[in-house]
Amino acid sequence: MVETFLPLLLATFSVCLFVLLMQFLWKYVDDMVGKGVELKVLAQLFFYAANSLVPMALPIAILLASLMTFGSLGEQLELLAMKASGISLLRIMKPLIILLVFISVIAFVFQNNVLPKAQAKLWTIVYSLRIKSPELDIPERSFYKDIPGYNIYVNHKTKTGLLLDVKIFDYSGGFDDAMVMVSDSGRMKMSDDKKYLILTLYNGKLFQNIAMNKSRYNQQGQTSFQRQTFSVRNIVISFDSNFSMADESVMRNREVSKNIPALRSFIRTTTMEEDSVTQMIRPTFINQVYSSAFKQEKSYPQTNRAQAGVMPVTDFDLLYDSLPNARKLQILDNAKMKIERFANDFNMRMSQQTNTQKLIKGHKIELHRKFTYSLACLLFFFIGAPLGAIIRKGGLGLPAVLSVFIFVVYYTIETFGWKMAKQDSWPVWEGMWLSSVVLAALGVFLTYKAVNDSVVMNPDAWAESVLRLFGKREIRNYVRKEVIMNFPDYPEDVRLMKNWNEEANLYLKQKQKIPFYISFWKRDFQDKDLNRLLTSMDRWIEDLLNSNQNLIVGKLMDYPVITPFHLTFLNRSAIRWSCSVFLPAGILIYIVFLLKQKRINNDLRMTIKVNEEINKELKNLKLDYSNNP
């Protein structure tokens, strides 16, 4: 099994890593094209990008490899041969389970030790590429704006490098000191150190504003400018085209560049600092906002209030109305300034605390991610291996389609949980472990079905289930027996049918009323009355099948096939109350139960009608109610 699985794993891992690397290249192609970067820098970028994409490529490679391995074994009937010899599916999977546990441990060590360094170097290179000036390539008949402070227009470029009909707009000194140069032709080259751009213009004119001492405008509101004509003019523009790597220490402070001890240390330290600052700021802020309004009254003794000009106010509205308008306006302005000062102080401190909380939350997310990505490798195997044993298809056809579909669903759930955790809608651990819980549930379900040789992936079985859900009915098919050993006891059958009709009418009266949602979950889901009716119904049907009358046997096929709504898992009170609280699932079960109960009631009414018709036919045929034909 290991010899079969490992080559497929290496092949699928290489393909998945290549696809993800191409997706990364497509995403950041704008930062790399046109920069004139050396091949060595691009090779480093791709190397560190490949290392950073390993945690995403490895789970999908394991899923695809396990699907292909067990699908091929099932298609070639090797799984069937091993099961026939007494080897269970879990025993067949055991060597690969041990191997995948080992790979998951290696993936965890890789994420904790290698990935942070690769992430720091990767994003340092990406940042350096973004801030690097583009390679100089001036197009024809359009303005080139990538040189800071200059716009250059070239009408045509010859094969010898001569530029024809050149226009240069120089606003490096500001728009008030803008300069325009127009020339018939020119040449362009870089300095030897690649830090300056040298432009040589031939047969042109220059237009430039003239700066004045006090003001560049005259009394009429016009500014002076100068015009020059030149045959040759050299212009030197600062343009550093060399690639320089940014400082890596900036990226090392990001959460993606830290291992587990560093993440835990940052979370613990920053949380303690945040709590200390909050405990220190809170009393001061409360004192400024709430206590300052009464500070003036409490700061003076009773004997010194008159000297200080402070008197207790019992009716502020009366005092405020007695003041002149100028004093009222002053009081309102002071109150407004005080409120704005408090609001600005509060917003500034709240913004600081929000940024700190975002940093803490980001580090917590990255801490959980190091565990979830490693666990996903093992969980994807428990999805791919049993699914391959069920579908029994090898190769890259159906397994590749299923792998991509399952991984897209997993990635969607993982992104949803990450966003919910980042937006503080859910706790961090709930959002980051949501995808793992879904994978674990799916893996347990598929493994259970594969071990029990279920037809969960059989299209006919699924089509039959869907048809039953939307109303397909099972039809009885009886034929008259050629040899009859025991003839029906017609009187006893008639008596059973009459008693059954009475019990069925009582049952219908009880089920006629629709139960409320709360009372529905309080009931017992074992419908013993219905089971008793169905058991009694089978008794006379089996007896009447021994009849030698084609009309009676044909009438038995009019009986509907009644199947109770089996909800045995709701017999436990804990599960029942959990479903009732979980509204989407509870409401769905409630609606399905009402529809199923309505169908059962209709079937019972149909059975009562068929019973009456059979009794009538027995009377019309005037059969001997003895055991002889």
Side-chain angles (χ1 to χ4, degrees):
M1 292 299 299
V2 174
E3 291 178 357
T4 306
F5 178 76
L6 271 181
L8 286 174
L9 177 60
L10 294 176
T12 53
F13 176 73
S14 301
V15 173
C16 295
L17 187 60
F18 176 77
V19 172
L20 292 175
L21 193 60
M22 290 300 100
Q23 188 265 345
F24 173 83
L25 177 62
W26 182 263
K27 184 177 181 180
Y28 294 99
V29 65
D30 294 337
D31 298 326
M32 293 181 285
V33 174
K35 299 295 181 73
V37 183
E38 298 179 358
L39 185 62
K40 178 183 177 181
V41 177
L42 293 178
Q44 291 179 357
L45 175 66
F46 292 147
F47 175 75
Y48 293 125
N51 282 273
S52 301
L53 294 172
V54 166
M56 186 175 294
L58 186 58
I60 189 174
I62 292 173
L63 175 64
L64 181 56
S66 58
L67 260 169
M68 294 173 63
T69 301
F70 283 84
S72 299
L73 292 176
E75 188 176 14
Q76 298 171 7
L77 302 180
E78 295 184 19
L79 278 179
L80 182 61
M82 285 185 281
K83 290 180 180 180
S85 61
I87 304 175
S88 64
L89 181 62
L90 291 178
R91 187 178 174 185
I92 299 172
M93 295 168 55
K94 184 177 179 181
L96 297 183
I97 293 175
I98 297 174
L99 176 64
L100 264 298
V101 170
F102 181 69
I103 292 176
S104 299
V105 173
I106 294 178
F108 175 76
V109 175
F110 177 85
Q111 281 190 309
N112 189 41
N113 298 324
V114 180
L115 186 61
K117 298 178 182 179
Q119 291 272 34
K121 293 183 179 296
L122 170 65
W123 297 116
T124 301
I125 296 175
V126 172
Y127 175 74
S128 302
L129 288 173
R130 286 178 175 176
I131 63 176
K132 183 190 179 301
S133 300
E135 189 179 24
L136 190 63
D137 186 15
I138 298 177
E140 294 181 349
R141 297 182 181 87
S142 63
F143 284 96
Y144 183 76
K145 303 179 181 180
D146 290 334
I147 301 177
Y150 293 87
N151 282 348
I152 302 177
Y153 176 87
V154 176
N155 187 41
H156 180 67
K157 293 190 297 184
T158 63
K159 296 182 179 179
T160 60
L162 184 65
L163 309 178
L164 302 179
D165 191 9
V166 182
K167 299 181 179 63
I168 300 175
F169 296 87
D170 180 6
Y171 54 91
S172 57
F175 288 99
D176 292 335
D177 294 328
M179 180 172 56
V180 180
M181 286 172 282
V182 181
S183 66
D184 295 338
S185 60
R187 291 187 180 275
M188 183 182 300
K189 67 177 182 178
M190 296 293 301
S191 61
D192 295 336
D193 57 359
K194 295 185 178 181
K195 292 185 177 180
Y196 298 96
L197 176 65
I198 301 174
L199 278 171
T200 303
L201 303 178
Y202 305 103
N203 300 325
K205 297 180 181 180
L206 180 147
F207 303 90
Q208 184 181 15
N209 291 333
I210 299 177
M212 300 183 223
N213 294 330
K214 295 183 180 180
S215 174
R216 64 178 71 251
Y217 299 100
N218 55 22
Q219 294 179 357
Q220 286 75 25
Q222 299 176 348
T223 182
S224 301
F225 70 95
Q226 63 177 351
R227 183 178 63 181
Q228 298 180 7
T229 303
F230 58 86
S231 58
V232 179
R233 185 180 182 90
N234 292 323
I235 303 173
V236 179
I237 300 174
S238 178
F239 186 79
D240 190 0
S241 62
N242 293 317
F243 177 79
S244 58
M245 189 69 69
D247 189 6
E248 191 175 326
S249 61
V250 177
M251 295 299 171
R252 289 191 179 275
N253 294 327
R254 302 287 298 272
E255 62 271 12
V256 295
S257 305
K258 297 179 181 179
N259 55 13
I260 292 178
L263 290 170
R264 288 178 174 174
S265 176
F266 179 86
I267 294 171
R268 181 174 59 254
T269 304
T270 309
T271 303
M272 293 176 61
E273 292 177 355
E274 183 69 14
D275 293 340
S276 301
V277 171
T278 302
Q279 292 178 2
M280 180 181 64
I281 293 177
R282 186 173 180 274
T284 304
F285 186 76
I286 292 176
N287 181 61
Q288 289 178 352
V289 176
Y290 297 103
S291 303
S292 59
F294 307 98
K295 182 176 180 181
Q296 188 178 19
E297 181 181 347
K298 296 181 178 179
S299 60
Y300 295 98
Q302 184 71 24
T303 56
N304 297 331
R305 283 180 177 174
Q307 297 177 0
V310 178
M311 296 299 293
V313 178
T314 57
D315 192 345
F316 178 79
D317 294 337
L318 182 61
L319 176 62
Y320 179 79
D321 294 336
S322 62
L323 296 175
N325 292 333
R327 179 58 177 164
K328 291 181 181 179
L329 185 61
Q330 182 182 2
I331 292 174
L332 294 177
D333 290 338
N334 291 337
K336 180 181 178 182
M337 292 175 59
K338 188 175 182 180
I339 292 173
E340 290 178 349
R341 185 173 67 252
F342 289 155
N344 293 333
D345 188 17
F346 176 76
N347 291 331
M348 182 186 67
R349 292 176 180 176
M350 185 176 65
S351 177
Q352 293 176 352
Q353 290 182 345
T354 301
N355 294 333
T356 305
Q357 291 296 329
K358 287 183 179 179
L359 287 175
I360 296 174
K361 196 178 301 175
H363 283 71
K364 288 182 178 180
I365 290 174
E366 188 64 26
L367 179 62
H368 286 278
R369 183 173 289 164
K370 293 186 181 299
F371 294 94
T372 56
Y373 276 177
S374 303
L375 182 61
C377 298
L378 186 62
L379 295 178
F380 269 123
F381 173 76
F382 281 101
I383 294 175
L387 191 57
I390 292 172
I391 63 175
R392 299 176 183 177
K393 293 290 183 181
L396 284 173
L398 184 59
V401 174
L402 289 176
S403 299
V404 172
F405 175 75
I406 294 174
F407 185 79
V408 168
V409 173
Y410 159 75
Y411 186 74
T412 303
I413 297 174
E414 197 270 341
T415 304
F416 172 75
W418 170 73
K419 287 188 176 181
M420 296 300 287
K422 186 178 180 181
Q423 296 173 1
D424 207 16
S425 300
W426 288 358
V428 174
W429 66 270
E430 286 187 8
M432 298 308 297
W433 287 92
L434 175 64
S435 57
S436 299
V437 172
V438 174
L439 285 182
L442 183 59
V444 170
F445 173 75
L446 292 176
T447 303
Y448 173 78
K449 292 295 184 181
V451 169
N452 293 280
D453 295 327
S454 175
V455 292
V456 66
M457 294 301 295
N458 189 348
D460 296 334
W462 281 99
E464 185 69 21
S465 300
V466 172
L467 290 175
R468 288 183 179 180
L469 180 63
F470 287 98
K472 180 183 178 181
R473 307 301 303 272
E474 186 177 353
I475 300 175
R476 298 177 185 268
N477 188 12
Y478 301 134
V479 293
R480 187 172 68 86
K481 297 180 180 180
E482 296 295 335
V483 178
I484 300 175
M485 303 299 297
N486 297 315
F487 288 94
D489 187 357
Y490 292 115
E492 179 64 19
D493 294 336
V494 171
R495 187 187 65 82
L496 289 176
M497 286 188 281
K498 290 182 178 179
N499 293 337
W500 192 93
N501 288 350
E502 295 177 359
E503 295 179 2
N505 287 323
L506 292 176
Y507 178 86
L508 290 174
K509 289 181 180 179
Q510 295 176 358
K511 301 297 181 180
Q512 186 176 2
K513 186 178 180 181
I514 299 177
F516 290 103
Y517 183 78
I518 301 300
S519 59
F520 167 77
W521 293 105
K522 293 180 180 180
R523 57 174 293 158
D524 185 11
F525 288 93
Q526 293 181 350
D527 200 341
K528 298 180 181 179
D529 295 335
L530 179 61
N531 293 329
R532 186 173 62 255
L533 288 172
L534 297 180
T535 303
S536 178
M537 177 180 173
D538 293 336
R539 289 175 56 189
W540 77 72
I541 291 178
E542 291 294 332
D543 189 55
L544 291 176
L545 284 174
N546 295 321
S547 177
N548 59 353
Q549 299 293 325
N550 291 330
L551 186 60
I552 300 299
V553 175
K555 202 63 181 177
L556 294 177
M557 291 189 291
D558 293 341
Y559 282 113
V561 179
I562 303 175
T563 54
F565 191 38
H566 297 289
L567 295 174
T568 55
F569 69 97
L570 294 176
N571 292 332
R572 297 182 181 181
S573 59
I575 298 178
R576 184 162 60 248
W577 286 109
S578 299
C579 292
S580 65
V581 174
F582 190 62
L583 291 180
I587 294 176
L588 180 61
I589 295 175
Y590 175 70
I591 294 174
V592 173
F593 175 81
L594 293 181
L595 296 176
K596 183 66 176 180
Q597 187 64 49
K598 182 179 180 181
R599 179 184 297 178
I600 291 174
N601 294 342
N602 293 333
D603 291 343
L604 293 176
R605 294 186 183 95
M606 176 60 69
T607 304
I608 294 173
K609 182 178 179 181
V610 173
N611 288 341
E612 294 174 352
E613 291 176 355
I614 291 178
N615 291 332
K616 184 178 179 180
E617 292 295 335
L618 289 175
K619 292 179 180 179
N620 293 335
L621 292 174
K622 299 180 180 180
L623 294 175
D624 184 8
Y625 280 4
S626 65
N627 288 333
N628 297 322

